[in-house]
Amino acid sequence: MKALLQSFPRANAVWFWLPLAVFFTAVVTDIELPGLYMDAINPDYMVPRMLGSTALNSIWIMPGNLVLDRWPLLPSLYHGSGMAWIGLPFYALLGTDIFAVRLVHGMYGGLILAGGLMLLHRLGVWQWLVGLVGLAIALDPSFIFSFRTQFYINAAPMVLVICAIYLLHTGRVESKRRSMFWSGLLLGLAIFGYFIYAFFVPAMAIAVYFWCHDGHTRLVDDLNVRGGYPALLVWLAGLFVGLVPYAVGFVLMAINKGSFASFFEYVASLLNGLQVAKAHTDSMGRFEAVWTYFLGLVNHTAQSGYWTTGVQSLQGGVVKAVGLALLPPVLLLVAELRGTATRASRLLIGLSASFFLAASIFGARLGSHHFVPVMILLCFALSQTLFDALRSKLVPNWVGAQRDVTKGQLIAVSTLVLVCAYNLHAQLVSRDQLRQTGGTGLYSDAINRFAADINANHRSAIHFMPDWGIWMPAVFLTGGKVDIVGDENFKHARWLLCQNREARWVFVEGNRKERIESVTTQLDWDPPEVTSWRQRDGKVVFDVATYMPSKPSESGRCKPSV
């Protein structure tokens, strides 16, 4: 880590600061759009409780994993609460509104971009190449809008992976054992962030073993071993330490369930419900699903579909996806034939291949959002493999070799400039769609306006939100200061109505009119005031039924039963 901080770019490093400036300009532009979707704030919505909120708020958590009824560990089997812990100090400072969450999530994207640029620079890649690839990433709507959707939780742990790779390549020989340990630990924490980062483990483990084997005697001597096995054990020890939060979460689940037998039975039932690896029975079907999801991410249809009335594929998206998937390995092959390939290129390509192969096991059980890490990795791999394929070897005919390198550089510059122009165009098209719609469905900015109305006019009410997709953003945007629950409790609602408090129901799905009538009947209360919250084209996203409290003098409905 010390080496990473010591290599921080100077103020005049245009290759570093220009891409970051472009990215953060994109972060603050239209910052309130689209609306705050449920999974786009999970697990950050737990922050109000972590900050001491005593309001009645629902929470999704594995059994026993809300320590002291305040501190979350495992919200699910496949990801931890790391993003809530990391965001905690920032939300404590900035608050919990739409601007705060977009800035915090934008910070994750900025750290990924900055870390990747610093890694490439440390590996010796030409500054102009680092800067151009950085600009291409900073302009890419698929990257920018990952931090406004549920894609953010899949992308954010890439910061840790970049640092893990950095530690394998840098540091003094005498501190290599420590670097190996921390590299493994950071990857373990990334897996705690989201399970898909386990897809990188095979390639990282192979790299650690071979890099600490033949031809690296100084490193082998430092580790006091002969060969790569003990070095791999040091790295694996770090990996397991990084996974300790997962282990603690599982132990807490077992304690909650009463025994490890009950715990295993519970986990088995959850995995059976997820139907992992059952979406396709043939390998071709699995690989087809992987490619479909990757393509949907790269051409931005997977994200823009959330705020448009229909999926609109960007022209040239297939070419971009094919190029991003195939160019890095082809360039690595060229570098291998020229004798200029580096272990960095081999690792980046190996990690990408490891991810795709592991993803094919799950097939259609994944989604486009799961491929954000490998998309980011391939962007950095493109820069590294271009450098390796184009750089000149120190050979007698150096002048001629340099002439070939110059030609290759001109081709690379032209190609990357075109990619930057394409990404800018795609971003502008996507932003135009976003501004017109404000988001559709549960991505509509109606949720932002609804939360603002709660804060302004209904802070004392209890809100029942039984439908999937709305209560998490409502809890976050109201700062955990309003009672918002997912489960309906008519007895409790009636009691609160008799205590002169409003009871409000929010309906997203089904026949809303019939559902409101059903709630009214079960409450045995006067008909509610119904407000429809609409997206910008006028379509109703959800209805809110507000039941007004009864004054004691008006009826005997609130008299205690005998």
Side-chain angles (χ1 to χ4, degrees), residues 401-440:
Q402 184 60 47
R403 188 180 300 115
D404 292 338
V405 169
T406 302
K407 292 179 181 178
Q409 289 177 338
L410 289 174
I411 295 173
V413 169
S414 302
T415 302
L416 289 172
V417 168
L418 288 174
V419 172
C420 288
Y422 173 84
N423 285 347
L424 176 60
H425 170 72
Q427 182 189 156
L428 294 176
V429 170
S430 183
R431 285 190 184 278
D432 182 60
Q433 297 170 347
L434 181 58
R435 289 165 183 160
Q436 289 180 30
T437 65
T440 57

Side-chain angles (χ1 to χ4, degrees), residues 464 466 488-491 493-494 497 503-507 511-531 543-548 557:
F464 294 95
E488 296 174 290
N489 187 323
F490 299 102
K491 183 177 180 180
R494 185 180 176 84
L497 285 165
R504 311 181 83 205
W505 259 261
V506 181
F507 298 104
N511 188 317
R512 302 185 187 103
K513 183 178 179 181
E514 290 183 0
R515 294 181 67 191
I516 292 171
E517 291 174 352
S518 175
V519 169
T520 304
T521 300
Q522 293 182 73
L523 274 178
D524 188 22
W525 209 259
D526 295 334
E529 298 177 3
V530 180
T531 305
D543 285 331
V544 179
T546 303
Y547 293 88
M548 303 304 295
R557 74 175 75 185

Side-chain angles (χ1 to χ4, degrees), residues 13 157 164 372:
V372 180

Side-chain angles (χ1 to χ4, degrees), residues 126 338 340 390-406 409:
W126 297 308
R338 296 186 69 242
T340 56
L390 293 177
R391 68 192 181 98
S392 174
K393 294 186 294 183
L394 295 178
V395 295
N397 188 23
W398 186 82
V399 175
Q402 184 60 47
R403 188 180 300 115
D404 292 338
V405 169
T406 302
Q409 289 177 338

Side-chain angles (χ1 to χ4, degrees), residues 91-149:
Y91 293 127
L93 178 65
L94 299 173
T96 57
D97 57 21
I98 189 68
F99 301 99
V101 69
R102 293 286 155 75
L103 288 175
V104 172
H105 288 185
M107 176 190 69
Y108 300 151
L111 287 173
I112 292 170
L113 182 57
L117 297 179
M118 291 170 67
L119 173 64
L120 293 173
H121 184 250
R122 178 77 178 197
L123 294 172
V125 178
W126 297 308
Q127 291 183 4
W128 63 264
L129 182 53
V130 175
L132 278 176
V133 169
L135 273 176
I137 297 171
L139 291 168
D140 192 342
S142 298
F143 182 71
I144 294 167
F145 291 110
S146 287
F147 303 96
R148 301 197 188 189
T149 62

Side-chain angles (χ1 to χ4, degrees), residues 89-207:
F90 299 100
Y91 293 127
L93 178 65
L94 299 173
T96 57
D97 57 21
I98 189 68
F99 301 99
V101 69
R102 293 286 155 75
L103 288 175
V104 172
H105 288 185
M107 176 190 69
Y108 300 151
L111 287 173
I112 292 170
L113 182 57
L117 297 179
M118 291 170 67
L119 173 64
L120 293 173
H121 184 250
R122 178 77 178 197
L123 294 172
V125 178
W126 297 308
Q127 291 183 4
W128 63 264
L129 182 53
V130 175
L132 278 176
V133 169
L135 273 176
I137 297 171
L139 291 168
D140 192 342
S142 298
F143 182 71
I144 294 167
F145 291 110
S146 287
F147 303 96
R148 301 197 188 189
T149 62
Q150 70 265 44
F151 291 47
Y152 94 97
I153 195 175
N154 306 106
M158 269 304 294
V159 177
L160 302 176
V161 175
I162 290 170
C163 290
I165 296 171
Y166 194 98
L167 287 169
L168 293 183
H169 284 276
T170 59
R172 298 171 298 176
V173 171
E174 58 268 24
S175 65
K176 272 296 182 182
R177 181 187 285 119
R178 187 163 60 242
S179 295
M180 289 287 175
F181 178 84
W182 277 99
S183 176
L185 186 146
L186 290 173
L187 184 56
L189 289 176
I191 296 170
F192 175 67
Y194 211 92
F195 83 99
I196 54 176
Y197 286 89
F199 297 175
F200 291 132
V201 170
M204 286 284 275
I206 292 170

